Amino acid sequence: MFVELNNLLNTTPDRAEQGKLTLLCDAKTDGSFLVHHFLSFYLKANCKVCFVALIQSFSHYSIVGQKLGVSLTMARERGQLVFLEGLKSAVDVVFQAQKEPQPLQFLREANAGNLKPLFEFVREALKPVDSGEARWTYPVLLVDDLSVLLSLGMGAVAVLDFIHYCRATVCWELKGNMVVLVHDSGDAEDEENDILLNGLSHQSHLILRAEGLATGFCRDVHGQLRILWRRPSQSTAQRDQSFTYQYKIQDKSVSFFAKGMSPAVL
Amino acid sequence: MAAVATCDSVAGSTGSAVATASKRNVTSFQKRGPRASGTNDSGPRLVSIAGTRPSVRNGQLLVSTGLPALDQLLGGGLAVGTVLLIEEDKYNIYSPLLFKYFLAEGIVNGHTLLVASAKEDPANILQELPAPLLDDKCKKEFDEDVYNHKTPESNIKMKIAWRYQLLPKMEQIGPVSSSRFGHYYDASKRMPQELIEASNWHGFFLPEKISSTLKVEPCSLTPGYTKLLQFIQNIIYEEGFDGSNPQKKQRNILRIGIQNLGSPLWGDDICCAENGGNSHSLTKFLYVLRGLLRTSLSACIITMPTHLIQNKAIIARVTNLSDIVVGLESFIGSERETNPLYKDYHGLIHIRQIPRLNNLICDESDVKDLAFKLKRKLFTIERLHLPPDLSDTVSRSSKMDLAESAKRLGPGCGMMAGGKKHLDF
């Protein structure tokens, strides 16, 4: 959890909003620091987190989580974190025939239809346990990242359906939050990715867009973050708020500053 | 903590169902470093494998790519469990060299090799590996070869061109003198036969394997990719690279080399048609390969003819699914071959992507304009310099040409849009 980003977003783990879909987007740079931020943020907020990690292994997130002050292994052991390690699951699905349907079952099929098994997994992971006491505040679904599903043969519509089902269950029914990461391919003309990104942009309440600098590589400013608050359900009578900051990623934190106000320049 | 954390920082819990996270004492992939209880053991058990070293940044276990200059640019080396993707140059002249350097480094270090190709028999590829420069006598010859241009004295302060004092003194990325992590190879000589025979290698030659009757799992990949994945998975499992045979005492690294992946010889049509039927085959293959690598002690090099891929979206997806992406751009056949700007070099090398493994940041090199040249014996990577403009008639048009070429260089790893309009001054 980056304290400066919390200040910019005007939230703290104690009083975060519920029922929101946050879209993380990166263009020409790596936006995974935002995923680490939200993972540690919601674990500190005592939420039940279901993390669908499709692109990196568990130990990667765990080691970075240690730097940010959360222990993923302990969270997993006490049931706060349900971690789907996409890479490991894919290897199991492809090389061994499994009896019960796996979340990534579509890898075995030639014409994958939909992501229903994955949705079932998420719903099972986040359903409230009727043990009487409320251990966790609200459920959160994190997906890193959705563009990988397109690479694995799913169509953009199937992925949008999956997000729609998850939103109905997690955000509306269980009053939880969702955070998803999508890559913006920019000028690579990836139509499916553009459909996915546009569709999600219209549904989300908060869009965080990490972009590389337009002028190229810089040691002191790693990129630019655009924050856009939206109200998808209401009419756009009020203009959506948008802020732009530049950032520099350090070993354990990220520092944000206004455009052109990098400490290296001043 | 560093060296042990390397093993499990990549491997995490083992892929096989046998060794679960609860059996903490069975394999060497035990998480030792960051422990919640904070108890200090008698000392981390160092897993030292020949030819590897821990990264200075995060303790990740690194192997050399065979080119010490490239190792330096990649932040020390190639991390175990990751994929190095080489985007081939147009006529596929220099990328096989990088491929062979990687394999030669494996033989010199005693690693196990897995060579997969659809074009050449892996046995022939191994015969053509460059010979290592292991002698000190040879190292002296090499030093003279490298430093035949005069380097400026470091303690003479510049009086006139004092701005250049600030530039790094070693423009050429020189040899790593301290450790025997990376080796130098003589491209004009062949690897001695006894070294090749002493090494443990497995070959996958597609025309042979495609006709054999391996049990084919139903999967939507092209048959060539499916067979290759099964082959790799078999080797990893049988030789215990994923920790499934705990009685093996000596841990070793598996170096996987896949040549010309994505070319039509593999049965894939992404280089032929824009929206072929198999457009997801390659990306699925890369994903499953990533899964196999992350749970084993292996490193992979893939050369891919990305300049032939018709659909640009696939290149972007392939880049996202690979860890390190290096692009080679040779000057042969292009108008740059006769451009005086590039007369000393054979091509440009672009480091397109470096992974952030177990970390928020990565070791990006500041130097973005890199060029390579293949000298008589050596393949060197240097920072690209604009030669001084010594022509008598300093005409405006020649200056515009040079400036135009220079603008097309190194956009860098984190660029948003074409920087041309932002840098017009």
Side-chain angles (χ1 to χ4, degrees):
Chain A
M1 178 175 85
F2 307 130
V3 181
E4 290 192 29
L5 186 55
N6 281 345
N7 293 338
L8 293 181
L9 295 175
N10 209 11
T11 58
T12 59
D14 310 322
R15 49 176 194 83
E17 291 182 321
Q18 289 182 243
K20 302 290 177 201
L21 167 63
T22 303
L23 174 66
L24 308 175
C25 170
D26 58 11
K28 301 273 186 186
T29 187
D30 193 352
S32 55
F33 68 98
L34 294 169
V35 175
H36 296 297
H37 162 82
F38 279 105
L39 179 61
S40 54
F41 179 88
Y42 284 119
L43 282 176
K44 283 190 181 165
N46 215 19
C47 302
K48 173 133 193 197
V49 178
C50 173
F51 190 3
V52 178
L54 296 172
I55 199 73
Q56 298 281 11
S57 59
F58 176 76
S59 51
H60 167 84
Y61 295 104
S62 174
I63 292 179
V64 182
Q66 294 278 345
K67 296 190 183 191
L68 299 183
V70 288
S71 167
L72 290 193
T73 33
M74 285 203 55
R76 194 161 64 165
E77 276 167 22
R78 63 173 183 247
Q80 188 188 7
L81 172 67
V82 177
F83 196 95
L84 172 64
E85 194 167 344
L87 292 171
K88 200 156 76 120
S89 180
V91 169
D92 290 337
V93 164
V94 168
F95 290 113
Q96 298 157 25
Q98 311 277 345
K99 293 187 192 57
E100 61 260 6
Q102 296 283 308
L104 297 184
Q105 192 66 30
F106 61 88
L107 284 175
R108 285 185 80 86
E109 293 146 26
N111 285 322
N114 51 25
L115 286 164
K116 196 150 180 269
L118 188 58
F119 167 66
E120 301 286 338
F121 171 83
V122 169
R123 192 172 60 178
E124 188 62 35
L126 289 180
K127 74 171 181 214
V129 181
D130 343 297
S131 60
E133 40 158 285
R135 281 185 80 187
W136 316 117
T137 45
Y138 50 88
V140 172
L141 169 65
L142 239 79
V143 184
D144 179 21
D145 56 65
L146 280 184
S147 307
V148 170
L149 291 174
L150 296 178
S151 304
L152 292 176
M154 301 306 302
V157 177
V159 182
L160 282 171
D161 285 343
F162 164 70
I163 294 291
H164 180 77
Y165 270 80
C166 287
R167 215 158 61 92
T169 311
V170 176
C171 293
W172 188 80
E173 190 186 321
L174 300 172
K175 305 280 185 298
N177 283 345
M178 274 176 65
V179 180
V180 295
L181 175 75
V182 179
H183 292 299
D184 185 2
S185 51
D187 54 352
E189 296 157 9
D190 194 345
E191 289 174 8
E192 298 259 306
N193 204 13
D194 290 339
I195 294 174
L196 178 63
L197 187 60
N198 288 334
L200 283 176
S201 305
H202 285 292
Q203 294 177 27
S204 41
H205 297 90
L206 174 63
I207 302 180
L208 293 178
R209 201 180 146 87
E211 302 163 350
L213 293 178
T215 42
F217 170 73
C218 173
R219 272 187 86 173
D220 302 300
V221 180
H222 291 151
Q224 193 164 283
L225 182 71
R226 261 204 264 166
I227 306 175
L228 177 64
W229 279 277
R230 296 190 69 249
R231 286 159 204 80
S233 48
Q234 301 166 6
S235 64
T236 53
Q238 328 155 270
R239 278 183 64 186
D240 300 330
Q241 270 187 314
S242 161
F243 293 129
T244 309
Y245 298 96
Q246 291 181 341
Y247 61 86
K248 177 175 179 178
I249 306 179
Q250 284 135 3
D251 192 37
K252 290 187 182 182
S253 66
V254 178
S255 60
F256 292 87
F257 34 85
K259 273 209 234 186
M261 306 287 274
S262 158
V265 174
L266 293 176
Chain B
M1 179 187 102
V4 178
T6 64
C7 249
D8 30 40
S9 60
V10 179
S13 55
T14 58
S16 67
V18 174
T20 60
S22 59
K23 289 189 193 172
R24 284 178 183 276
N25 295 322
V26 174
T27 68
S28 68
F29 293 1
Q30 186 173 346
K31 203 150 192 79
R32 278 242 183 213
R35 213 181 256 193
S37 54
T39 54
N40 212 350
D41 284 299
S42 57
R45 197 181 56 194
L46 287 174
V47 180
S48 58
I49 309 173
T52 63
R53 72 170 175 198
S55 150
V56 290
R57 180 173 286 286
N58 53 4
Q60 189 87 35
L61 198 63
L62 301 174
V63 293
S64 171
T65 54
L67 276 176
L70 188 60
D71 286 341
Q72 224 169 327
L73 291 169
L74 300 179
L78 176 65
V80 170
T82 58
V83 170
L84 165 61
L85 179 77
I86 308 246
E87 295 184 349
E88 291 175 7
D89 52 306
K90 204 164 164 198
Y91 300 105
N92 202 15
I93 296 173
Y94 299 105
S95 44
L97 273 176
L98 294 186
F99 190 75
K100 286 176 186 156
Y101 279 125
F102 185 82
L103 298 177
E105 184 71 26
I107 289 191
V108 167
N109 286 320
H111 297 159
T112 308
L113 298 184
L114 196 163
V115 186
S117 173
K119 196 163 70 164
E120 281 179 79
D121 197 343
N124 292 343
I125 297 177
L126 286 180
Q127 294 297 321
E128 291 173 5
L129 292 183
L133 290 169
L134 290 173
D135 240 359
D136 277 336
K137 179 167 68 79
C138 296
K139 192 162 186 304
K140 278 209 196 79
E141 274 179 21
F142 152 72
D143 278 342
E144 285 167 13
D145 201 19
V146 159
Y147 294 114
N148 62 357
H149 65 273
K150 291 191 175 47
T151 55
E153 289 291 325
S154 56
N155 46 7
I156 292 181
K157 283 179 77 65
M158 298 185 180
K159 292 195 181 67
I160 298 176
W162 52 274
R163 279 285 185 196
Y164 289 106
Q165 192 86 45
L166 303 168
L167 284 180
K169 294 179 193 67
M170 307 295 285
E171 296 108 17
Q172 185 174 7
I173 296 152
V176 177
S177 55
S178 51
S179 68
R180 298 313 288 160
F181 176 63
H183 297 86
Y184 289 94
Y185 297 92
D186 187 348
S188 56
K189 297 197 191 111
R190 299 268 164 264
M191 171 87 68
Q193 193 63 25
E194 53 268 12
L195 275 179
I196 301 177
E197 279 164 18
S199 67
N200 180 19
W201 64 272
H202 305 272
F204 181 95
F205 187 38
L206 186 66
E208 283 171 13
K209 302 279 182 181
I210 200 81
S211 50
S212 72
T213 51
L214 271 178
K215 187 164 71 80
V216 182
E217 297 279 332
C219 209
S220 62
L221 300 172
T222 43
Y225 293 156
T226 316
K227 290 251 164 73
L228 177 57
L229 274 178
Q230 281 176 325
F231 185 76
I232 294 175
Q233 197 256 347
N234 269 340
I235 301 287
I236 289 179
Y237 181 66
E238 279 166 18
E239 305 214 352
F241 289 107
D242 57 353
S244 53
N245 290 338
Q247 65 268 20
K248 266 183 88 79
K249 283 173 235 163
Q250 213 34 31
R251 298 251 159 241
N252 206 353
I253 304 276
L254 173 68
R255 283 188 185 233
I256 304 174
I258 308 177
Q259 215 176 24
N260 305 123
L261 192 68
S263 75
L265 290 170
W266 284 97
D268 201 351
D269 62 353
I270 53 172
C271 294
C272 316
E274 181 146 357
N275 286 316
N278 287 331
S279 51
H280 299 290
S281 222
L282 179 63
T283 41
K284 267 197 198 180
F285 170 83
L286 286 174
Y287 187 74
V288 181
L289 178 68
R290 191 184 173 111
L292 280 174
L293 291 177
R294 286 286 199 269
T295 50
S296 62
L297 280 176
S298 44
C300 181
I301 187 171
I302 300 180
T303 65
M304 190 182 288
T306 47
H307 56 97
L308 294 176
I309 295 180
Q310 308 274 333
N311 192 355
K312 302 292 167 216
I314 296 185
I315 303 178
R317 290 179 185 180
V318 161
T319 304
N320 285 333
L321 287 171
S322 317
D323 297 296
I324 305 184
V325 180
V326 171
L328 290 176
E329 183 190 337
S330 80
F331 295 145
I332 295 177
S334 77
E335 38 100 24
R336 294 185 187 186
E337 200 173 0
T338 47
N339 194 332
L341 185 66
Y342 301 119
K343 63 175 163 51
D344 290 330
Y345 305 106
H346 288 129
L348 298 177
I349 186 165
H350 306 283
I351 312 274
R352 301 207 200 273
Q353 180 174 275
I354 293 182
R356 293 166 195 236
L357 292 169
N358 304 327
N359 224 326
L360 287 170
I361 40 180
C362 58
D363 265 328
E364 264 188 270
S365 144
D366 280 349
V367 182
K368 297 292 172 188
D369 302 320
L370 297 158
F372 66 85
K373 65 179 152 190
L374 179 62
K375 292 200 260 215
R376 192 171 43 91
K377 284 186 180 182
L378 236 38
F379 184 96
T380 51
I381 301 178
E382 295 173 13
R383 181 185 219 164
L384 181 67
H385 285 292
L386 295 182
D389 199 1
L390 295 173
S391 58
D392 291 334
T393 59
V394 183
S395 65
R396 183 128 179 92
S397 58
S398 72
K399 262 196 171 11
M400 291 283 276
D401 281 342
L402 285 182
E404 196 47 50
S405 322
K407 265 189 206 168
R408 267 190 252 131
L409 295 173
C413 282
M415 203 181 100
M416 175 59 198
K420 207 169 149 188
K421 59 183 195 313
H422 294 272
L423 291 176
D424 243 342
F425 51 81

